[in-house]
Amino acid sequence: TRLPLCIFLLLGSFLSAQECYWEPQINHIEYKYNLSDFGLRGKVKSCTRIHETQNEQCVYKVAHRAWGDHHFIERFNFNRFGNITSMYSETNQGDTMEIVLVDYDSLNRISKVSHHSFSVWSEYESSNGENWEHASLNYNYQNNKLESIQVVGDFGLPFPGSDVYTLKMDYENDKVVRKIITNGNKSIDSVHLREYSYSHSAGVLAEEITIKASHNREPTTIKYQYASDGITLTGKTSIPIGSTDESQVATWTYDENQNLISYHKGDTSNGFWYCQKFFAYNKHNDLVWEHTNMEYDGRAKLQNQIIYVYDQKENWTERYTRRSHDISYGGGTQSDEYFRESQDIMYYE
C-alpha cells in the first residue's frame, strides 16, 4: 500500500475519492515544507487541525471511513524559520496513525524526512501499534544546490514499493534543466526523465518535457503562459507526446495572485473521460467555492461552498464546507454533505 503524503501533496481535507484533478508530479518530495504550504500565516509554533463530518443527527464528529478516505486529527510543529519539524496524525480514539519528522542542516535546508505510518484501507480498527510502514527522504547538496534526493520506501508514484530510488537534478546557469529518476542504489538506467527550458528574457520556466514517463504515464510537454510583465504565471497546458485514444490535453488557469481558478481536461461534448473544475477565493486567497463537472468511472457534478472564521493573525480557526451534488457520483441522488474543520494555533512570541 502507498504511504499517505499528508505533508507533500497538501490536498484540501474536503476532497474526496471523486476527485478528477491531475497535477504532474515528481517534484512533490522537493517542496519547502513551510507555513504557506499549510495555508498558515505569521509566527506559528504549532497547529492542531481537526476535520469533522456532520452525521444524520446534525452533529459534527471525526469520521473514519473506508478505502483510505480517513480524516484524522493532525498536529503540526514549526521552527522559528516557519518550517515544519514534525507532524502527527491521530484518531479520535487517541491512536497515532502517522509520524513525520523533518531534519534540517546548519543552513536551514531539509536534510532528511522520516515517515512512519499505519496504513488503513478498510473500516478503522485500533492498530495497537502494529503493522507500521517506514520511509525516508535523504537530501544531498553540492555547491549550495540540491543535487539529489534518495527515496527509501513507498512515497507513491513515481516512487512506489520498497525499492530505493534516486531523483537527480542537473543544472545550467543555476537553473534545473533535467531531472532523472533511477531505481536502485547503483542503477544506471533511468525510469523517469524530465527536461526544462526557460525564457531568454525573464528567465522563467517556459517548457517542461517528460521524455520518459514511469508507471504507464504518457510522455508530455507542459507549456507555461505569463502575463505581459513576463513573470506572472497565467496558465499552463499539458500536451501528450505521441497521442493515443486515451490522450487528453489539460489546461490550468491562474489569477493575479497565482491561485488556480480553472482546470480542464478532455472534451465534455465528445469523450467519455473529462474533468472541469472552477475555483474562487476570498481576500485572504483562501478557497471559498469549487465546482466540479466530471466523467471518470462515473458521472458527477458537484460544488463546495466554504466559509471561514479567522483570528487576529488572519489564520482561519474554523472552516465550514457544504458539498452539493447536482449529479451524484455513480448515479442516484445524494443529500448535501457538511464538514467542519478547526485549527488550534499557538504562536511564537
Side-chain angles (χ1 to χ4, degrees), residues 289-305:
W289 178 78
E290 175 185 1
H291 175 82
T292 300
N293 179 25
M294 57 170 280
E295 174 69 62
Y296 268 69
D297 285 335
R299 182 78 171 91
K301 193 173 184 180
L302 58 99
Q303 64 177 338
N304 291 319
Q305 295 173 291

Side-chain angles (χ1 to χ4, degrees), residues 246-261:
E246 297 181 356
S247 299
Q248 293 178 320
V249 173
T251 60
W252 296 257
T253 305
Y254 302 89
D255 65 15
E256 64 275 8
N257 296 314
Q258 307 295 278
N259 296 314
L260 178 66
I261 55 176

Side-chain angles (χ1 to χ4, degrees), residues 89-105:
S89 295
E90 303 172 0
T91 71
N92 57 5
Q93 300 178 26
D95 287 329
T96 299
M97 305 301 290
E98 182 177 23
I99 302 172
V100 177
L101 304 175
V102 185
D103 297 327
Y104 298 86
D105 63 16

Side-chain angles (χ1 to χ4, degrees), residues 33-224:
Y33 313 130
N34 55 39
L35 291 169
S36 62
D37 292 327
F38 295 84
L40 295 169
R41 306 169 178 93
K43 298 180 180 180
V44 175
K45 182 177 183 180
S46 64
C47 174
T48 298
R49 184 175 294 176
I50 301 175
H51 181 105
E52 297 172 298
T53 301
Q54 189 180 93
N55 61 21
E56 294 179 353
Q57 290 74 40
C58 297
V59 176
Y60 285 104
K61 298 185 68 175
V62 177
H64 303 303
R65 299 176 174 177
W67 300 105
D69 186 17
H70 292 276
H71 297 303
F72 295 131
I73 299 169
E74 297 175 303
R75 306 186 189 278
F76 308 99
N77 297 296
F78 301 88
N79 60 23
R80 289 187 175 273
F81 296 99
N83 294 325
I84 192 167
T85 57
S86 62
M87 187 274 282
Y88 301 86
S89 295
E90 303 172 0
T91 71
N92 57 5
Q93 300 178 26
D95 287 329
T96 299
M97 305 301 290
E98 182 177 23
I99 302 172
V100 177
L101 304 175
V102 185
D103 297 327
Y104 298 86
D105 63 16
S106 59
L107 299 178
N108 199 39
R109 302 176 303 189
I110 294 176
S111 59
K112 183 175 182 178
V113 176
S114 302
H115 194 166
H116 315 277
S117 72
F118 179 83
S119 287
V120 182
W121 293 94
S122 60
E123 195 69 24
Y124 169 71
E125 295 179 359
S126 180
S127 65
N128 297 319
E130 301 173 352
N131 300 319
W132 281 85
E133 297 180 352
H134 309 278
S136 64
L137 305 174
N138 300 288
Y139 291 68
N140 179 45
Y141 299 88
Q142 293 291 335
N143 300 320
N144 207 32
K145 298 183 183 68
L146 179 61
E147 180 183 63
S148 65
I149 303 174
Q150 183 190 57
V151 183
V152 182
D154 190 348
F155 275 94
L157 295 178
F159 310 101
S162 58
D163 291 344
V164 175
Y165 292 84
T166 299
L167 171 60
K168 185 178 184 300
M169 277 69 74
D170 293 333
Y171 293 83
E172 291 181 9
N173 299 320
D174 293 330
K175 294 184 180 296
V176 175
V177 294
R178 189 176 298 105
K179 293 180 181 178
I180 304 171
I181 300 175
T182 58
N183 186 354
N185 287 304
K186 298 181 180 179
S187 175
I188 299 176
D189 295 332
S190 64
V191 298
H192 196 106
L193 173 61
R194 186 171 294 188
E195 294 185 345
Y196 302 83
S197 61
Y198 301 84
S199 69
H200 295 292
S201 56
V204 295
L205 183 61
E207 195 170 79
E208 178 181 334
I209 303 176
T210 301
I211 298 173
K212 185 175 183 179
S214 57
H215 304 96
N216 299 318
R217 296 295 179 92
E218 291 179 311
T220 58
T221 298
I222 299 179
K223 297 180 179 293
Y224 292 80

